[in-house]
Amino acid sequence: MNLRLMLPCAGLLLVLLQGCSYTSERQHPEFDTSRPFIERVAILPASVSIQLKTFTGEDEHLEDQEETVRQYLDKQARSVLKKNGYGVCDVHFEELAATDSELAFQIEQLKNAYDAASKDLYSGETVAADDYKRFRVTVGPIVNRFAELADADALLFMEFVGIVKSEGQMRKEIAANILLGALTGSYAHPISETSAIQVALLDANTGEVLWTNINSTASVSGDVLWDALVKIPAKTPRASEPAAAPEPEAGRQDTTKE
Amino acid sequence: MRYLPHTLLTLLLAGCASHEVAPLTSGNAVIGSDADEIKIFEESTRAHQELRDKGLILNDPEITAYLNAVLERIKPDDLPDDLTITVAAVRDPVVNAYAFPDGGIYMNIGLLARLGNEAQLAHITAHELAHVVERHSLEGYKDRRDKIVAAHITDLFLFGTSIAYIPYIASISSYSRSQEEEADKLAIEWMSAAGYPLSSAAGLFAVLQEVKVGEAAVNSMYSSHPRNSARARYTREYIETHDLATNPQASAGEDTFRPIRAALTLQTITLQLNNKHYELARDTAVRALHHDPENPWLYYYRGEAWRLMGDDPAGAAREHAWLYDKALDDELTESMRARRDEFYAAAITAYETALARDAGFAKAHRGLGLVAWAQGNRALCKDQLTRYLASPDPIGDRRYITTVLRKLDSAQ
């Protein structure tokens, strides 16, 4: 999904979901049967964008914060996947891409392919909690290179977007809301920062989106991932194997906020 | 309260004041002497780094050398020595080119694949170079900042209704119309001095006129059709009213440009397909077939576009709605779904034509196998995909094809 659209869409969806039996999750109809065969998941480098919105319009990327969140998301994702019974590949595509521009390009293309595919997942319609296992969406064979490199059965894709407002921007919004409040009789304090995440598990052989979820929060923190990813269906044993003991409960890591 | 309209008007006009910046060829321009210029240079460096980190800069020494040779030919002599200007191709299928204020010129391969000859490439290069030389980014940066601050203050007086942003938003296209016109005129002068035939300008604007609305970068000069016809008109008038050598006998460089376009066309199509832009991919293949009718890859990709439309009618409907500014509704999606057999039939024809051009073209077997898979013809699917996997060529999607074959076996 386009980053600019992701925040309002995630926010709107979550508002719609409150108090209703709707879900932000989407699942492939065959994921329940293919899940026992997913032994190893490789985590793709999270796409992270955190923008400081300023009064003068000179918006800028908060690169240090982006890197902190990127690392935090990777840790959180490993923790949640292990907790849910999935093996996590010990491969760091970002490090490989630093010296392999072709791999870096393929990471970018996979993100583009996912953005195009996700339009079928989050097209604005609400999805009932008992009707989310019907989404057949694929990013195509572009996943194969990553599967080969990591010897993975599935790939975890994460896209994070955050917005922080500068003090000047906040003062302006507060003043505007006070003036508006004088007319309408009600005052709403503007939100100073917000973030949203989309997380998806992709079949590393076919590129099919097996499961995906989105979440948003009124802060810029990697914690937004936890509530989205913790709902990923746990790995189930194959018909012939006994159920594996779950990993010890993995708590949230320290917040990334400084 | 009666002074409010006057105050608002004053604020809005305050944001309309324009900054004059001396061009780099003026003799008294000092690069990087202005804090704003240093800031936009830093942003340029960051943006270049991001393009490089994402692998988006085309790593093809031959093509890069060619683009820079064209730049050297049209570059004026009176540029400051401390300004380094280079051209790079960007692996982006969107029809666009842009220049950073520090002298980096970037040409998307989607634009390069559309051009007809070297003269058209030189024209685009000269146009982007003119933005650098005239320091249009710095001028625009200063103007935009004033406009957004004025819009914020005006917005307060309008109780945060955001109405004040409408004139601001209308004015923030990367370059103003007058800047684009200035760049077009300088480009024509440099083209003339470099010995390119100026008749190529008409051809370039005709090419840009054919670009679909959604195909080019938003707000770029490559996306605005009425402006492109106006540009063609004033460029023609400029040539007629100025004492410029039109170089009618000079070569437009079709032969030198052909291999560059051929190499970039195939890459453009793969990126278009990756972005689910099936119709655009098909258009690119069809255009290229006019120049290269024996190339099996072009038939293969045309087949891929048809096949994927059959596999993904919702995506095909979405693209159609986007390209032609239509409503995306169930009716449109259903109409695409109803045409699946037609799409698959067109795909089969394209793959078979690729094989007729080159009997050993293994990718065509992949396409035929995947169409057979979609149509439930298991025997044909297995036969074609097995042939594809037996090819001595490197197979990047072996896992994908093997999974299809495994599903085929388990379904029997």
Side-chain angles (χ1 to χ4, degrees):
Chain A
M1 184 183 288
N2 186 307
L3 286 175
R4 288 188 186 86
L5 293 175
M6 195 164 141
L7 266 174
C9 287
L12 180 64
L13 191 63
L14 292 168
V15 168
L16 287 169
L17 297 178
Q18 282 174 356
C20 308
S21 57
Y22 295 121
T23 181
S24 56
E25 290 177 80
R26 308 285 185 262
Q27 189 176 310
H28 194 282
E30 287 156 21
F31 183 41
D32 283 339
T33 49
S34 66
R35 206 154 67 234
F37 301 96
I38 296 173
E39 302 288 352
R40 291 164 56 80
V41 179
I43 299 173
L44 293 162
S47 165
V48 176
S49 165
I50 303 175
Q51 209 172 31
L52 177 71
K53 288 193 81 66
T54 68
F55 183 71
T56 57
E58 297 163 84
D59 299 347
E60 57 184 81
H61 278 281
L62 302 175
E63 291 175 7
D64 291 346
Q65 209 171 336
E66 285 176 345
E67 187 51 37
T68 308
V69 167
R70 199 174 285 119
Q71 289 177 12
Y72 182 69
L73 291 176
D74 187 82
K75 271 188 199 166
Q76 286 282 31
R78 282 172 196 277
S79 166
V80 177
L81 286 171
K82 283 180 182 169
K83 175 179 171 291
N84 281 277
Y86 297 100
V88 179
C89 301
D90 189 23
V91 61
H92 296 269
F93 292 117
E94 207 159 35
E95 288 172 14
L96 297 174
T99 54
D100 181 348
S101 65
E102 199 51 40
L103 183 65
F105 181 64
Q106 286 181 342
I107 290 171
E108 188 62 14
Q109 292 316 303
L110 178 54
K111 179 183 169 304
N112 287 348
Y114 185 80
D115 285 347
S118 74
K119 288 171 184 159
D120 288 328
L121 297 163
Y122 296 101
S123 59
E125 63 164 354
T126 51
V127 173
D130 58 356
D131 186 34
Y132 71 99
K133 297 181 179 180
R134 61 175 167 84
F135 288 85
R136 289 183 183 274
V137 172
T138 178
V139 296
I142 191 171
V143 290
N144 282 183
R145 170 97 195 268
F146 303 97
E148 294 288 346
L149 279 172
D151 190 21
D153 305 308
L155 306 172
L156 190 78
F157 172 91
M158 294 178 281
E159 191 170 11
F160 176 99
V161 57
I163 289 176
V164 179
K165 292 175 190 166
S166 70
E167 282 184 25
Q169 178 69 21
M170 277 301 288
R171 280 195 208 108
K172 182 256 159 179
E173 289 187 18
I174 290 168
N177 286 9
I178 288 171
L179 286 168
L180 190 63
L183 279 182
T184 62
S186 67
Y187 168 77
H189 192 72
I191 295 168
S192 63
E193 54 182 62
T194 181
S195 58
I197 196 161
Q198 183 162 11
V199 57
L201 191 70
L202 312 174
D203 186 306
N205 294 319
T206 64
E208 285 165 327
V209 180
L210 300 171
W211 175 89
T212 183
N213 198 7
I214 60 175
N215 190 29
S216 71
T217 183
S219 67
V220 170
S221 161
D223 282 343
V224 71
L225 171 69
W226 182 275
D227 293 329
L229 186 57
V230 79
K231 290 180 182 164
I232 191 169
K235 178 168 170 6
T236 45
R238 295 186 193 189
S240 57
E241 70 185 15
E247 287 268 321
E249 183 71 21
R252 289 183 193 216
Q253 311 279 328
D254 291 336
T255 179
T256 53
K257 286 198 64 180
E258 292 177 354
Chain B
M1 196 68 183
R2 70 191 164 116
Y3 294 111
L4 185 60
H6 180 258
T7 309
L8 293 178
L9 188 63
T10 306
L11 281 165
L12 278 173
L13 289 175
C16 295
S18 172
H19 293 268
E20 289 293 325
V21 175
L24 295 175
T25 46
S26 67
N28 55 359
V30 182
I31 306 170
S33 59
D34 180 314
D36 287 339
E37 192 162 46
I38 292 169
K39 189 169 168 92
I40 60 173
F41 275 26
E42 286 170 358
E43 283 176 16
S44 301
T45 305
R46 267 198 297 275
H48 176 82
Q49 185 68 35
E50 192 174 337
L51 287 171
R52 215 177 55 184
D53 289 350
K54 290 181 173 176
L56 288 165
I57 305 277
L58 182 73
N59 184 16
D60 185 320
E62 212 169 304
I63 292 177
T64 306
Y66 175 74
L67 296 177
N68 282 283
V70 171
L71 168 72
E72 286 302 317
R73 187 171 159 187
I74 52 102
K75 200 166 75 173
D77 297 330
D78 52 352
L79 292 180
D81 294 336
D82 53 350
L83 179 70
T84 306
I85 299 178
T86 55
V87 190
V90 178
R91 294 201 279 181
D92 186 334
V94 173
V95 175
N96 199 19
Y98 43 94
F100 290 163
D102 62 353
I105 295 174
Y106 300 87
M107 303 257 184
N108 282 2
I109 62 171
L111 172 64
L112 294 169
R114 292 295 289 247
L115 301 179
N117 53 47
E118 182 181 304
Q120 292 177 3
L121 166 66
H123 194 146
I124 301 267
T125 310
H127 178 97
E128 296 303 329
L129 175 62
H131 285 311
V132 177
V133 170
E134 294 298 306
R135 295 160 104 188
H136 285 160
S137 291
L138 179 60
E139 211 170 83
Y141 178 80
K142 289 172 185 285
D143 287 352
R144 276 195 297 276
R145 192 182 44 203
D146 288 355
K147 282 178 179 138
I148 186 73
V149 170
H152 279 324
I153 297 168
T154 313
D155 184 50
L156 279 178
F157 283 94
L158 295 169
F159 306 102
T161 55
S162 299
I163 294 167
Y165 297 111
I166 294 170
Y168 165 70
I169 290 165
S171 72
I172 57 165
S173 57
S174 300
Y175 296 116
S176 70
R177 193 165 296 197
S178 63
Q179 286 176 329
E180 294 289 9
E181 192 167 333
E182 189 176 22
D184 275 333
K185 289 174 180 172
L186 269 177
I188 279 295
E189 288 181 15
W190 293 339
M191 289 278 291
S192 169
Y196 282 110
L198 297 193
S199 57
S200 64
L204 173 63
F205 292 122
V207 166
L208 296 179
Q209 195 70 19
E210 284 175 14
V211 173
K212 292 189 170 95
V213 175
E215 194 178 355
V218 178
N219 280 336
S220 76
M221 70 161 191
Y222 305 98
S223 67
S224 181
H225 287 202
R227 278 175 63 187
N228 276 321
S229 59
R231 291 173 66 205
R233 193 179 57 250
Y234 68 62
T235 301
R236 191 174 58 244
E237 288 168 4
Y238 190 77
I239 294 168
E240 286 167 1
T241 55
H242 288 72
D243 189 21
L244 297 175
T246 54
N247 311 315
Q249 307 299 325
S251 165
E254 281 183 21
D255 292 342
T256 49
F257 188 68
R258 190 172 294 124
I260 305 290
R261 182 181 54 219
L264 298 179
T265 293
L266 296 179
Q267 292 192 43
T268 298
I269 299 173
T270 58
L271 299 181
Q272 287 170 324
L273 291 174
N274 184 61
N275 294 350
K276 295 183 184 284
H277 293 163
Y278 312 125
E279 189 173 330
L280 291 181
R282 216 176 59 226
D283 286 351
T284 307
V286 169
R287 263 194 313 274
L289 279 167
H290 288 300
H291 305 289
D292 195 4
E294 298 302 314
N295 189 336
W297 281 100
L298 295 172
Y299 292 102
Y300 167 71
Y301 280 127
R302 189 161 77 169
E304 282 293 276
W306 284 120
R307 177 180 71 79
L308 290 166
M309 285 176 77
D311 285 356
D312 180 20
R318 181 172 294 106
E319 184 198 14
H320 187 82
W322 166 67
L323 280 179
Y324 301 102
D325 201 19
K326 288 185 177 174
L328 176 63
D329 51 24
D330 291 346
E331 194 182 341
L332 181 60
T333 306
E334 277 313 306
S335 73
M336 289 291 177
R337 197 161 281 136
R339 295 176 62 195
R340 290 180 75 179
D341 287 344
E342 180 193 331
F343 296 154
Y344 286 136
I348 291 168
T349 304
Y351 296 134
E352 286 175 345
T353 313
L355 281 172
R357 296 290 182 276
D358 177 358
F361 190 76
K363 281 274 190 183
H365 293 298
R366 175 189 187 275
L368 288 167
L370 291 175
V371 170
W373 166 248
Q375 293 184 319
N377 187 339
R378 291 176 188 169
L380 183 62
C381 174
K382 189 166 187 172
D383 174 54
Q384 293 291 336
L385 294 185
T386 307
R387 281 205 219 185
Y388 168 57
L389 290 181
S391 159
D393 302 336
I395 293 175
D397 60 349
R398 188 175 292 278
R399 276 178 176 245
Y400 182 81
I401 299 300
T402 307
T403 304
V404 172
L405 286 171
R406 200 168 51 236
K407 284 183 179 177
L408 204 65
D409 287 340
S410 63
Q412 279 174 344

